[in-house]
Amino acid sequence: MTEPTNFKEAFSFSFATLRGICCLLLFGVAANANAAGPPASIAEFLDLNCTGCHDASTHEGGLDLDSLTLTLEDPDNFHLWQRVFDRVGTGEMPPDEDLDQEETTPFLASLHQRLKATDSARIASEGRVSARRLTRSQYERNVCELLAIDIPLRDFLPEESYTRIFDTVSKSQQVSDHSMAAYLQAADAALEASFNRLLTETEPLNVRLDWNQLRRDEERTDREPEGRPQHQDIVSWSTRKNFYGRMPATSVPTTGRYRVRMRVRSVHPPDAGRVWCSVQSGVCNATASTMYWVGSFEATGETSEYELEAWIREGHMLRVVPNDRGLRQVPVPMIDDPAGTVEPLGMPGVSIKWIEIRRVEADRADVQRALLGDLELRRIATDVSEDDQHEPQRFEIESKNPEQDLRNTVESFAQRAFRRPVTQAELRPTIEFALKRLQDEGSMLDALRAAYRTILCSPQFLYFEEAPGVLDDYALANRLSHFLWGIGPDEELRQWAAAGRLSDPAELRRQTDRLLDDSRSKIFVEEFTDQWLMLHEINSTTPDSKLYPEYDDVLHHTLPMETYAFVHGLIEHDLPVRNIVDSDFTFLNSRLARHYDIEWPGGMGMQRVKLGPLSRRGGIITHASVLKVTANGTTTSPIIRGVWMLERVMGEHIPPPPANVSAVEPDIRGATSIRDQIDKHKSLDSCAACHVKIDPPGFALESYDVIGGWRERYRAVSSGKGKKWVDGMPVDPSHEFASGESFDSIEGLKQIVSSRPEQLARALATHLATYSTGAAPTFADRETLDAIVAATESTNYGVRSLIHEVIQSSLFQQK
């Protein structure tokens, strides 16, 4: 039995429909000829609450009580029953009736017993998780580590699907003929890069370009960016001109990863004393207008060096320019004027002394160890000129027993790739294939390359090998390492797995701390946060430049950095989970502090900043990153933000609206309030049931605009000339929960939600378990989740404690 891929899409219930389904299912218990018959408590509940409205002749709501049975082995039936159990348990069913515990308790107890028994039997037989493979980012990291290279292999692979928020969930990880071809292509690209590095002795590119070389060209020393012979530097100004700041001299000869160092200072900085600049790469003309982000830096009046690293494509050049909409900008016509006409105006800019570009390549000795182990290379004579440094046949492996050395080397590689010991039987086809290549070509290098290609596309490498029941130590090490590092186990984890001691609770806890404390846990922080909070959608929309002219590229790339640093801080210091909703600190740089209108304490880069009581910030829910991804670039919607808050933070799943109900579209002219539109929308019975949950957090978050700025009025498009936007309708963030708890501001919402730490902890534990195991917790896991939450109460539900308890649980340690 398997769970529907997306239950929310499969079923959408109004109160009346839910009541009918409940009664229909309960009647089916009595009618099921294959069952032993329902307990008296279920039959009595059916008679008292369902059959009066839903029999074969009336079938209110279009439901016929004579058609369904209690066959829980059927996944559709199981999940209908589970939803009914939840609705009755929360008092939402039957509608308009207040049932006392004497009626509901026997029914719920009996149904709980049957649901848990069925689900537990399924888990014991099949496991919680179906076949789970590496995600495209995990594939990239594993292959690059195996081959000692660093290239963006994920670009070869299809985009991942997201189920239950995450791309690690096995049920969405389909592999088609198209995707298998993509894996072959990725493996070939990786092997080519690794073997080319092994067989090439040239040093990587390393050039330093001074101010004279960085000028656009010798004939136009006065053009973009402007040469300043008297300063011995290049000055780039803030302007809207397309591709301004491009530097042809920085064009790279080959595609690869490059480290860019530059020595710069600000020119005529504003009162803050710094000029935020962006570095991008691209062809820098209209024939290929796409620009790729390299990084940003904040130049000050003191000459300083900055270092960035990025993958840069062949022929692309760097573009360095002040990129802060808060700066005064040089009009485009002025940029084309002769040199010397701009600087006296006191416009802010960035002065560049020199730029150094270095190709980042793996150490050749590391590549040799990864590919050959202890084997040595020898130079072979060729007819190729010594000037050709890229000829792949200048070396061969030194071996007195090629066949045995080939067997040993392939076996060693396979053990690392499969993340466990391998048997001779499962390796035999690959070995035989490699030996045949050795006999045909006479080259051990060719034979190894063919074997490695087979291994990198094999199921043993692409998939997590987990048998139903308790995971063995190798599978546990694999799951733990991919959870916290996004890559296969390191040598220490493999050693503990080989000793059979990783599953010891104390050792597992120690290894969890070791992985979390390692810098490689940054991968977990960023990838989990991206998916949990939907930050992977940060580039999906571009804020309307007329309504939000202050939004720039530097701010855009800064937004997720705050959230990553915040989540890392929660984990590092085991801070209470309520900080997700409300905190007295956050992490800012000077650009983001200005966006939030928070006084910058000084210093450079991202740093922890204490928030005052009037900051209107604190907690992830007020981070500009999440406020941007829950808006469409022009308007905000309480519905979208409310659903985000419920599902991502509070752990409540909301079904999609009925197909025949149109979406609410905010009025960008500011003529009609969003509250009036939603009030009209939820007057429909099919909408009211969900809006009572969605609206409270959604309206509270309306105090923040499309780019996460504070507002008291909506922005509306100006109909006149000059000003791009005008103040529209006032924002009303007040609302009331179904429980009767009311608030009139975002602070009121925070107080209510943060007073429910158990709910927040359970929601986060559920997300952690789903992300780390590849399957969402099911009905039989509910008591385990309760135990995880209870075990962290003594730490005020600390986030690091929650991670530990998830890993220590049967949820994590069983398939």
Side-chain angles (χ1 to χ4, degrees):
M1 181 182 65
T2 58
E3 186 177 358
T5 301
N6 191 332
F7 181 76
K8 294 191 301 178
E9 294 180 358
F11 302 103
S12 178
F13 296 96
S14 67
F15 278 150
T17 304
L18 283 168
R19 178 181 180 180
I21 289 174
C22 173
C23 298
L24 174 62
L25 293 172
L26 292 173
F27 185 85
V29 174
N32 184 6
N34 298 323
S41 56
I42 292 183
E44 182 179 1
F45 190 91
L46 168 67
D47 292 337
L48 292 175
N49 299 288
C50 299
T51 55
C53 299
H54 302 282
D55 57 23
S57 59
T58 59
H59 56 278
E60 184 178 315
L63 299 173
D64 181 2
L65 299 181
D66 298 325
S67 62
L68 199 59
T69 65
L70 187 64
T71 307
L72 294 180
E73 289 72 21
D74 179 280
D76 292 340
N77 276 358
F78 183 94
H79 290 287
L80 284 171
W81 274 105
Q82 177 179 311
R83 193 164 180 84
V84 169
F85 176 89
D86 292 337
R87 291 299 180 118
V88 173
T90 58
E92 296 182 29
M93 288 183 54
D96 304 322
E97 294 184 31
D98 294 326
L99 301 180
D100 57 35
Q101 292 186 352
E102 292 183 358
E103 292 182 87
T104 59
T105 298
F107 163 73
L108 292 173
S110 181
L111 186 52
H112 177 276
Q113 180 182 12
R114 291 185 171 218
L115 289 170
K116 182 180 178 181
T118 301
D119 199 26
S120 296
R122 177 191 64 83
I123 292 173
S125 173
E126 305 172 7
R128 292 181 58 254
V129 188
S130 54
R132 175 189 172 194
R133 63 164 171 79
L134 301 174
T135 65
R136 62 205 293 256
S137 60
Q138 290 170 347
Y139 177 89
E140 174 185 295
R141 283 189 291 270
N142 276 285
V143 172
C144 286
E145 182 179 75
L146 284 168
L147 303 180
I149 56 174
D150 183 10
I151 63 176
L153 294 175
R154 72 188 71 186
D155 293 346
F156 290 91
L157 305 178
E159 293 284 344
E160 298 285 3
S161 299
Y162 293 88
T163 298
R164 294 299 182 95
I165 297 177
F166 300 107
D167 67 358
T168 57
V169 175
S170 61
K171 291 177 182 177
S172 63
Q173 296 181 326
Q174 305 301 318
V175 176
S176 63
D177 292 343
H178 170 72
S179 57
M180 279 308 305
Y183 281 116
L184 285 168
Q185 187 180 13
D188 286 338
L191 289 167
E192 181 179 7
S194 187
F195 276 86
N196 281 349
R197 182 67 184 122
L198 174 69
L199 303 176
T200 303
E201 295 181 306
T202 54
E203 292 299 318
L205 172 72
N206 186 19
V207 298
R208 178 179 291 199
L209 306 169
D210 64 18
W211 71 276
N212 191 52
Q213 294 163 306
L214 290 172
R215 290 187 302 179
R216 183 176 184 181
D217 56 47
E218 293 182 357
E219 296 179 358
R220 301 180 63 184
T221 59
D222 61 324
R223 301 295 177 87
E224 44 180 279
E226 293 191 345
R228 294 299 190 203
Q230 66 271 34
H231 293 167
Q232 296 289 289
D233 58 13
I234 289 293
V235 178
S236 183
W237 311 103
S238 178
T239 182
R240 293 290 182 90
K241 183 175 182 180
N242 288 339
F243 308 119
Y244 172 77
R246 59 188 172 185
M247 300 178 182
T250 63
S251 299
V252 300
T254 57
T255 298
R257 187 167 299 281
Y258 289 85
R259 185 172 295 121
V260 178
R261 293 177 61 234
M262 58 187 68
R263 186 168 177 82
V264 304
R265 66 175 178 84
S266 63
V267 176
H268 302 308
D271 294 340
R274 63 192 76 212
V275 174
W276 276 99
C277 304
S278 66
V279 182
Q280 296 168 298
S281 68
V283 175
C284 291
N285 62 49
T287 61
S289 58
T290 300
M291 300 298 295
Y292 299 88
W293 186 256
V294 174
S296 63
F297 61 89
E298 43 186 332
T300 67
E302 179 180 352
T303 302
S304 303
E305 293 183 13
Y306 299 89
E307 183 174 290
L308 305 168
E309 191 173 304
W311 185 264
I312 302 179
R313 293 157 178 80
E314 179 180 352
H316 284 199
M317 69 184 73
L318 298 180
R319 174 178 182 252
V320 183
V321 66
N323 200 333
D324 184 342
R325 295 292 173 84
L327 298 176
R328 293 174 60 198
Q329 294 188 321
V330 178
V332 171
M334 273 189 151
I335 293 296
D336 290 328
D337 286 344
T341 61
V342 175
E343 187 174 1
L345 298 178
M347 295 291 191
V350 58
S351 166
I352 306 169
K353 297 291 185 183
W354 52 258
I355 293 178
E356 181 181 87
I357 303 174
R358 180 180 179 83
R359 174 74 183 267
V360 180
E361 290 188 310
D363 185 83
R364 189 163 173 262
D366 292 338
V367 175
Q368 181 167 331
R369 281 191 295 272
L371 295 178
L372 309 182
D374 296 330
L375 298 177
E376 295 293 335
L377 283 176
R378 62 178 173 85
R379 189 185 299 271
I380 59 176
T382 67
D383 295 330
V384 179
S385 169
E386 287 295 320
D387 293 334
D388 188 348
Q389 299 295 322
H390 297 283
E391 169 58 40
Q393 292 298 326
R394 297 175 60 221
F395 296 93
E396 188 49 82
I397 296 174
E398 186 76 42
S399 175
K400 295 181 179 179
N401 189 344
E403 291 191 4
Q404 188 58 48
D405 285 342
L406 181 65
R407 289 176 183 274
N408 294 341
T409 306
V410 171
E411 181 178 358
S412 176
F413 185 88
Q415 287 184 347
R416 290 190 293 125
F418 297 166
R419 306 172 288 275
R420 58 167 176 78
V422 295
T423 65
Q424 293 298 317
E426 65 181 325
L427 203 57
R428 184 176 297 114
T430 302
I431 295 291
E432 292 176 351
F433 177 67
L435 290 173
K436 180 68 164 55
R437 179 62 63 90
L438 177 62
Q439 294 169 1
D440 292 344
E441 305 292 337
S443 168
M444 279 188 68
L445 284 173
D446 287 346
L448 284 175
R449 185 166 180 166
Y452 294 166
R453 184 176 191 256
T454 302
I455 290 170
L456 294 180
C457 296
S458 68
Q460 294 96 322
F461 173 69
L462 294 177
Y463 282 83
F464 289 67
E465 292 191 291
E466 301 171 343
V470 177
L471 300 178
D472 64 36
D473 279 53
Y474 288 105
L476 181 60
N478 190 50
R479 182 177 281 193
L480 178 66
S481 186
H482 279 95
F483 176 25
L484 299 181
W485 283 357
I487 198 170
D490 67 350
E491 181 61 29
E492 183 170 339
L493 273 181
R494 291 196 295 267
Q495 288 177 356
W496 285 104
R501 294 182 57 190
L502 181 60
S503 52
D504 175 78
E507 185 57 40
L508 184 58
R509 187 172 294 272
R510 190 181 75 82
Q511 291 298 323
T512 299
D513 278 328
R514 181 178 71 87
L515 269 61
L516 286 174
D517 292 337
D518 191 282
S519 61
R520 283 169 284 188
S521 65
K522 177 183 177 183
I523 293 169
F524 157 64
V525 170
E526 294 188 2
E527 292 195 352
F528 174 76
T529 301
D530 275 347
Q531 298 178 50
W532 166 39
L533 301 176
M534 214 166 72
L535 300 193
H536 58 82
E537 297 286 349
I538 195 76
N539 296 321
S540 296
T541 60
T542 300
D544 189 320
S545 60
K546 294 181 179 180
L547 288 172
Y548 300 96
E550 68 269 37
Y551 196 77
D552 54 55
D553 282 346
V554 171
L555 178 61
H556 175 80
H557 287 87
T558 295
L559 300 187
M561 295 167 61
E562 175 190 16
T563 311
Y564 297 151
F566 192 90
V567 173
H568 178 266
L570 296 183
I571 296 171
E572 182 180 18
H573 302 292
D574 198 22
L575 298 180
V577 72
R578 66 173 179 272
N579 282 281
I580 294 172
V581 174
D582 194 14
S583 67
D584 62 358
F585 71 94
T586 191
F587 291 82
L588 306 175
N589 60 20
S590 64
R591 179 68 186 89
L592 191 53
R594 171 153 45 94
H595 181 57
Y596 287 167
D597 196 23
I598 292 175
E599 183 178 355
W600 179 241
M604 304 286 285
M606 297 294 295
Q607 55 186 284
R608 194 178 194 272
V609 176
K610 186 171 179 59
L611 299 174
L614 302 180
S615 69
R616 298 161 176 161
R617 299 291 165 175
I620 287 174
I621 66 171
T622 58
H623 285 191
S625 58
V626 301
L627 295 165
K628 181 186 183 299
V629 300
T630 54
N632 66 10
T634 302
T635 59
T636 60
S637 167
I639 298 174
I640 294 173
R641 284 181 170 172
V643 171
W644 178 92
M645 178 81 170
L646 288 168
E647 296 198 334
R648 312 278 168 154
V649 177
M650 301 172 69
E652 298 186 29
H653 296 292
I654 303 298
N660 61 344
V661 176
S662 59
V664 176
E665 298 293 343
D667 181 3
I668 64 172
R669 299 168 302 171
T672 307
S673 75
I674 186 67
R675 186 177 290 268
D676 290 340
Q677 291 175 279
I678 291 180
D679 283 344
K680 181 178 180 180
H681 177 79
K682 70 182 184 183
S683 63
L684 301 172
D685 290 339
S686 58
C687 298
C690 291
H691 275 282
V692 73
K693 296 181 178 181
I694 295 170
D695 291 352
F699 275 105
L701 292 172
E702 282 294 279
S703 291
Y704 301 92
D705 63 26
V706 163
I707 60 175
W710 176 263
R711 67 183 175 191
E712 295 182 355
R713 286 182 173 273
Y714 295 96
R715 293 186 184 185
V717 176
S718 174
S719 58
K721 295 182 178 180
K723 192 173 184 180
K724 296 182 178 181
W725 61 272
V726 296
D727 283 332
M729 303 284 288
V731 174
D732 180 3
S734 63
H735 220 286
E736 181 180 14
F737 282 93
S739 62
E741 300 165 293
S742 62
F743 57 87
D744 58 11
S745 67
I746 183 65
E747 297 303 327
L749 174 81
K750 288 182 177 183
Q751 291 176 8
I752 294 171
V753 178
S754 62
S755 68
R756 308 171 182 175
E758 298 93 340
Q759 180 181 1
L760 299 175
R762 186 183 180 90
L764 182 57
T766 299
H767 294 319
L768 289 167
T770 304
Y771 176 82
S772 63
T773 67
T778 59
F779 193 88
D781 299 318
R782 293 183 174 189
E783 293 176 8
T784 302
L785 280 172
D786 291 340
I788 290 171
V789 173
T792 61
E793 182 178 7
S794 61
T795 64
N796 291 319
Y797 309 100
V799 173
R800 192 185 187 99
S801 296
L802 281 167
I803 293 173
H804 271 298
E805 294 305 322
V806 167
I807 291 171
Q808 293 285 333
S809 72
S810 59
L811 266 172
F812 189 86
Q813 296 188 36
Q814 294 185 6
K815 182 182 187 299

